[in-house]
């Protein structure tokens, strides 16, 4: 219900009034103004009793306020709390103090202090004196430890994080893929949308079939409520974060999930029968079988899933990048044969049973490699949990032991500290149990199990009759020239052309990374970028380079360098060949010319 209210408020209405439930489990950062207030004991005097406005968070034009009735006892305590929090925030230079208020006032029971204020169990001066902690060097060091700042700056491997982020950027399912899939599928389902001038989608009509799927109780519980229209939709989280009023659609959003379920329901059988595609590059002639591999951990949770593609050319099997399908053209029916007056027969997808064991073996090896990657990362995380999680709990237990020894001595002297001893002993048991649970969790999380890969479907790929089909020898020569050039410029190039990542070379130097797509021509002429290459060019922008080698088949080749081709070149989009054509005069005019020999 909260999620449904959030969607209606975001897309259909301008004002929402809610209880404190609005602050739990939903994201209201798209608001222009959010007000949170504590009602005084006498609501009729609300306006007269509102005190100062304390702003405690801000993001762009989003303001969150806490309105406190300062002429109540609890209001006075809250006011002092906010003053002290602001003092701590300025001393630390971080807003995160508002996320861990209970830890900031360590050793203080804030809830009890408020109760004491309301019930007059303590005087206001007594309560405020407890809150008025000294913000000295020792205190700030303690708070930085609580915030994790000290641990992070000493022990986080920033180089590794940078490398992981780079790898994720290269391999992840970028928003352009999701958006293109959604538009095609949503159109097939009968949905209506338009692309605004700023490139953002406006969903104008949800088809009936998707509404039926979204009305299911289980669907609603898992993904939330699907509303009738969405005025501004983006599939890019960076755009969504910059524009909170946009609807961010990705996996888990009811609009995309309902579309996915509709596709599965209507096309699963066709996918299993297989489909025919053409390879505009003219390289492929065979079958691609798609498998789903799954890895679970000792808790029974899914550690990861991977889509695996195995190419079979009639002789041998080899793994390929599933993203390869973006560069293929769905085959249209062939022209009738003049003699038979019937269409030429297309190759049928063969029954995979005779090949199934071999295909599964190859798929299994791929999922095993994937499991090894997951295990490597989980082992690294386990060491961190053992080193810092367990050791920190052991440190807390040690501190409690010292405190308990002191308390037992005080008890022997006749002091009434039974309740304190009992509370600290319970806390010690809690920490000891936490250590045991953490050790068990670490063991289960690093115990990974592979299931047998599941065959999803297959396609047949035939070479297209295209005058721009690639020439393997010329392309090889182009790659050699591009690699030699990178080395001459002091960069370290890596040939990744066989991985179908949307670029051929990853070249590094002094923190700079170039993603280079190489296009070679025996003499000269237009060039073509595949859909995959075009998507990556749009995604990587200034990091993406197009290296065009002219006269690659001669002893006098010329290299043209074009940075950010998606924004700097005019292209002719060829939907029917799933490629983007760049005219010869365009790339020669815009490219930086380098005479190689």
């Amino acid at each position: 219900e909260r999620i449904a209210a959030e969607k209606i408020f975001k897309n259909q209405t301008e004002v929402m009034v809610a209880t404190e439930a609005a602050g739990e489990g939903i994201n209201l950062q798209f608001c222009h103004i959010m007000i949170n207030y504590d009602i005084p004991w006498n609501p009729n005097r609300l306006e007269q009793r509102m005190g100062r406005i304390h702003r405690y968070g801000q993001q762009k034009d989003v303001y969150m306020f806490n309105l406190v009735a300062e002429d109540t006892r609890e209001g006075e305590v809250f006011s002092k709390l906010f003053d002290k929090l602001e003092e701590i925030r300025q001393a630390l230079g971080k807003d995160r103090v508002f996320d861990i208020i209970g830890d900031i006032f360590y050793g203080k029971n804030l809830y009890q202090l408020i109760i004491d204020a309301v019930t007059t169990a303590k005087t206001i001066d007594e309560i405020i004196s407890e809150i008025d902690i000294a913000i000295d060097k020792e205190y700030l060091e303690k708070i930085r430890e609580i915030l994790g700042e000290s641990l992070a700056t000493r022990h986080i491997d920033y180089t590794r994080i940078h490398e992981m982020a780079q790898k994720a950027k290269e391999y992840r399912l970028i928003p352009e893929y999701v958006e293109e899939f959604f538009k095609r599928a949503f159109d097939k389902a009968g949905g209506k949308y338009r692309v605004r001038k700023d490139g953002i989608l406006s969903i104008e009509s949800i088809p009936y079939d998707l509404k039926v799927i979204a009305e299911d109780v289980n669907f609603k519980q898992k993904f939330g409520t699907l509303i009738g229209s969405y005025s501004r939709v983006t599939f890019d989280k960076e755009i969504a974060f910059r524009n909170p009023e946009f609807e961010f659609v990705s996996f888990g959003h009811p609009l995309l999930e309902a579309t996915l379920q509709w596709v599965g329901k209507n096309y699963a059988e066709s996918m299993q029968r297989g489909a025919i595609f053409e390879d505009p590059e003219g390289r492929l002639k065979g079958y691609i079988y798609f498998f789903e591999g799954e890895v679970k951990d000792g808790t029974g949770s899914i550690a990861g899933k991977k889509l695996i593609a195995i190419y079979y050319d009639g002789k041998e099997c080899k793994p390929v990048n599933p993203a390869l399908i973006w560069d293929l053209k769905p085959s249209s029916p062939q022209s009738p044969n003049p003699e038979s007056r019937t269409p030429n027969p297309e190759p049928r997808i063969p029954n995979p049973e005779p090949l199934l064991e071999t295909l599964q073996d190859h798929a299994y090896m791929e999922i095993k490699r994937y499991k090894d990657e997951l295990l490597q990362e989980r082992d690294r995380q386990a060491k961190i949990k053992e080193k810092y999680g367990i050791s920190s709990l052991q440190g807390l237990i040690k501190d409690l032991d010292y405190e308990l020894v002191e308390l037992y001595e005080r008890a022997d002297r006749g002091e009434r500290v039974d309740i304190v001893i009992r509370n600290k002993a319970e806390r010690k048991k809690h920490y000891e149990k936490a250590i045991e649970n953490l050790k068990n969790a670490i063991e289960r999380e690093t115990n990974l199990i592979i299931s047998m890969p599941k065959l999803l479907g297959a396609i047949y790929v035939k070479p297209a009759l295209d005058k721009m089909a690639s020439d393997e020898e010329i392309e090889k020569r182009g790659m050699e020239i591009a690699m030699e050039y990178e080395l001459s410029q002091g960069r370290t190039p890596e040939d990744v052309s066989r991985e179908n990542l949307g670029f051929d070379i990853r070249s590094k130097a002094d923190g700079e990374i170039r993603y280079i797509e190489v296009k070679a021509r025996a003499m000269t002429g237009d060039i073509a970028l595949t859909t995959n290459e075009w998507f990556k060019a749009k995604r990587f922008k200034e990091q993406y380079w197009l290296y065009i080698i002219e006269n690659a088949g001669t002893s006098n080749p010329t290299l043209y360098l074009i940075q950010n081709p998606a924004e700097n070149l005019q292209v002719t989009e060829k939907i029917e060949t799933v490629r983007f054509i760049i005219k010869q005069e365009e790339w020669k005019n815009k490219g930086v010319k380098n005479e190689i020999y």
Side-chain angles (χ1 to χ4, degrees):
E1 290 177 354
R2 290 198 300 269
I3 293 172
E6 174 197 346
K7 297 299 182 187
I8 293 170
F9 176 41
K10 184 174 183 178
N11 294 285
Q12 298 178 3
T13 64
E14 295 187 8
V15 177
M16 178 172 72
V17 179
T19 65
E20 63 184 5
E24 300 174 7
I26 63 174
N27 177 12
L28 297 178
Q29 290 299 310
F30 57 85
C31 298
H32 177 60
I33 296 177
M34 182 187 294
I35 297 177
N36 174 38
Y37 58 86
D38 299 309
I39 298 180
W41 296 117
N42 182 357
N44 294 327
R45 294 182 57 202
L46 179 62
E47 290 187 11
Q48 292 86 5
R49 303 179 72 173
M50 281 296 180
R52 284 181 296 151
I53 295 177
H54 297 269
R55 189 179 75 188
Y56 62 90
Q58 177 179 343
Q59 178 180 341
K60 292 186 179 178
D61 62 344
V62 179
Y63 297 92
M64 301 174 69
F65 298 97
N66 195 80
L67 275 59
V68 180
E70 287 189 328
D71 59 347
T72 63
R73 288 173 58 84
E74 70 277 14
E76 194 171 347
V77 174
F78 275 126
S79 180
K80 187 64 180 178
L81 271 173
F82 282 115
D83 286 343
K84 185 56 64 175
L85 282 169
E86 181 62 24
E87 184 182 346
I88 297 168
R89 187 192 70 79
Q90 290 181 5
L92 287 170
K94 291 182 178 293
D95 288 330
R96 280 196 60 206
V97 294
F98 298 105
D99 298 334
I100 54 168
I101 293 176
D103 293 322
I104 290 293
F105 293 92
Y106 59 89
K108 312 291 183 184
N109 189 330
L110 299 183
Y111 177 76
Q112 187 60 49
L113 289 176
I114 301 300
I115 295 299
D116 290 344
V118 174
T119 60
T120 67
K122 290 183 179 179
T123 68
I124 290 297
D125 289 341
E126 287 175 325
I127 294 170
I128 288 177
S129 67
E130 289 197 43
I131 296 172
D132 195 17
I133 53 181
I135 313 301
D136 53 21
K137 182 178 178 181
E138 182 180 348
Y139 171 81
L140 291 175
E141 285 299 318
K142 181 73 174 177
I143 296 304
R144 287 192 179 99
E145 279 189 33
I146 292 172
L147 288 168
E149 186 172 296
S150 299
L151 182 66
T153 54
R154 284 201 304 269
H155 301 293
I156 287 181
D157 185 346
Y158 291 105
T159 302
R160 176 177 171 78
I161 288 176
H162 179 72
E163 289 174 354
M164 290 173 65
Q166 173 198 322
K167 185 175 179 181
K169 183 179 179 181
E170 293 175 10
Y171 285 85
R172 74 188 178 97
L173 189 64
I174 59 177
E176 286 81 1
Y177 292 131
V178 182
E179 180 175 356
E180 190 63 27
F181 166 81
F182 172 80
K183 289 191 292 188
R184 296 183 190 185
F186 192 68
D187 183 64
K188 289 280 189 182
K192 293 183 180 179
Y193 69 88
R194 65 180 177 88
V195 181
R196 295 160 23 125
K197 291 182 179 179
D198 56 6
I200 299 299
L201 290 191
S202 176
I203 307 299
E204 299 177 335
S205 174
I206 307 292
Y208 173 77
D209 288 350
L210 266 59
K211 292 178 181 178
V212 171
I213 292 171
E215 283 301 313
D216 180 76
V217 174
N218 293 329
F219 183 95
K220 281 186 175 181
Q221 288 178 345
K222 190 171 183 180
F223 304 117
T225 302
L226 181 68
I227 63 174
S229 62
Y230 298 87
S231 59
R232 286 169 289 190
V233 163
T234 181
F235 296 81
D236 190 328
K237 68 178 181 181
E238 294 177 5
I239 294 176
F241 289 162
R242 292 196 302 268
N243 302 275
E245 70 276 11
F246 287 8
E247 186 77 10
F248 176 45
V249 174
S250 188
F251 298 100
H253 190 284
L255 181 60
L256 181 58
E257 292 295 339
T259 305
L260 285 168
Q261 288 194 22
W262 182 86
V263 169
K265 179 181 177 181
N266 288 273
Y267 289 94
E269 187 177 341
S270 297
M271 183 174 69
Q272 290 169 357
R273 285 201 306 268
I276 312 298
F277 284 80
E278 295 179 7
D279 176 17
E281 299 292 329
R283 297 174 180 172
L284 302 177
K285 185 177 182 181
Y287 306 91
I288 300 178
Y289 294 89
F290 294 91
F291 289 84
E292 179 186 76
E294 184 177 270
V295 181
K296 289 187 176 181
D297 62 21
T299 68
S301 301
I302 296 174
K305 282 187 176 184
K306 186 176 180 68
L307 183 65
I308 301 161
I310 306 297
Y311 175 62
Y312 176 64
D313 62 2
K315 298 177 182 178
E316 59 178 356
C317 297
K318 66 176 182 179
V320 294
N321 190 333
L324 177 68
I325 197 170
W326 280 100
D327 297 335
L328 304 177
K329 171 190 170 185
S331 180
S332 57
Q334 292 188 357
S335 303
N337 185 313
E339 296 181 2
S340 65
R341 297 183 178 275
T342 59
N344 292 328
E346 291 279 18
R348 293 176 58 83
I349 304 298
N351 185 340
E353 284 300 326
L355 270 177
L356 191 56
E357 186 174 345
T358 302
L359 291 167
Q360 282 186 329
D361 286 345
H362 281 81
Y364 185 85
M365 292 305 297
E366 289 300 300
I367 197 66
K368 185 177 182 301
R369 276 191 279 270
Y370 177 56
K371 187 203 82 168
D372 292 341
E373 293 174 9
L374 292 174
L375 183 58
Q376 184 179 4
E377 177 59 21
R378 291 211 169 192
D379 282 340
R380 189 188 70 84
Q381 292 176 7
K383 287 184 175 65
I384 294 172
K385 290 177 182 179
E386 288 170 353
K387 186 173 182 180
Y388 302 115
I390 292 176
S391 63
S392 64
L393 287 167
Q394 289 171 338
L396 291 170
I397 291 171
K398 185 178 179 180
D399 292 342
L400 284 171
D401 282 337
Y402 285 132
E403 293 174 14
L404 283 167
V405 168
E406 183 183 342
L407 287 167
Y408 286 133
E409 291 175 353
R410 290 169 59 185
D412 290 341
R413 293 196 297 267
E415 293 188 41
R416 299 178 62 182
V417 290
D418 293 352
I419 294 177
V420 181
I421 289 174
R422 187 166 62 248
N423 288 341
K424 290 188 181 294
E426 285 296 322
R427 194 182 305 168
K428 179 183 175 182
K429 287 181 182 178
H430 172 75
Y431 291 149
E432 289 171 341
K433 184 66 175 175
I435 288 178
E436 182 183 344
N437 291 340
L438 183 55
K439 287 180 177 178
N440 290 334
I442 290 171
E443 183 178 355
R444 291 195 301 269
E445 288 170 1
T446 53
N447 181 22
L448 301 184
I449 304 165
I450 301 174
S451 60
M452 184 56 70
K454 174 186 174 185
L455 179 63
L456 300 177
I459 64 172
Y460 174 73
V461 187
K462 61 182 181 180
L465 299 176
D466 193 324
K467 65 180 181 180
M468 292 187 67
S470 63
D471 183 317
E472 191 170 337
E473 287 301 316
I474 293 298
E475 286 194 352
K476 182 180 178 181
R477 181 64 185 133
M479 284 292 293
E480 290 172 355
I481 291 171
M483 295 284 283
E484 289 170 5
Y485 175 79
E486 287 301 285
L487 288 169
S488 72
Q489 299 301 305
R491 289 185 283 271
T492 305
E494 178 187 1
D495 183 349
V496 294
S497 56
R498 294 186 178 277
E499 297 182 40
N500 295 106
L501 296 174
F503 52 90
D504 294 319
I505 298 172
R506 183 193 293 116
S507 190
K508 299 180 181 179
D510 300 327
E512 177 197 6
I513 299 179
R514 288 191 178 192
Y515 300 109
I516 302 168
E517 176 58 31
V518 180
K519 298 295 180 184
R521 286 286 169 264
M523 298 301 289
T524 192
D526 300 344
I527 65 161
L529 292 180
T530 68
T531 304
N532 199 20
E533 292 159 359
W534 184 248
F535 282 171
K536 289 296 174 70
K538 291 176 67 177
R539 174 58 32 184
F540 293 152
K541 299 184 184 301
E542 298 296 326
Q543 287 183 288
Y544 198 95
W545 290 75
L546 186 57
Y547 284 17
I548 303 173
I549 295 92
E550 186 182 43
N551 300 319
T554 72
S555 60
N556 188 31
T558 303
L559 171 64
Y560 290 80
L561 309 181
I562 302 170
Q563 186 179 16
N564 194 4
E567 294 183 2
N568 292 325
L569 291 179
Q570 295 291 325
V571 303
T572 303
E573 187 174 353
K574 295 285 187 180
I575 298 297
E576 69 276 12
T577 57
V578 290
R579 290 189 296 175
F580 297 84
I581 308 301
I582 302 171
K583 295 293 185 181
Q584 173 187 339
E585 57 270 21
E586 176 70 11
W587 62 257
K588 291 192 77 167
N589 288 335
K590 300 288 180 64
V592 177
K593 186 176 179 180
N594 287 265
E595 297 290 350
I596 304 299
Y597 301 107

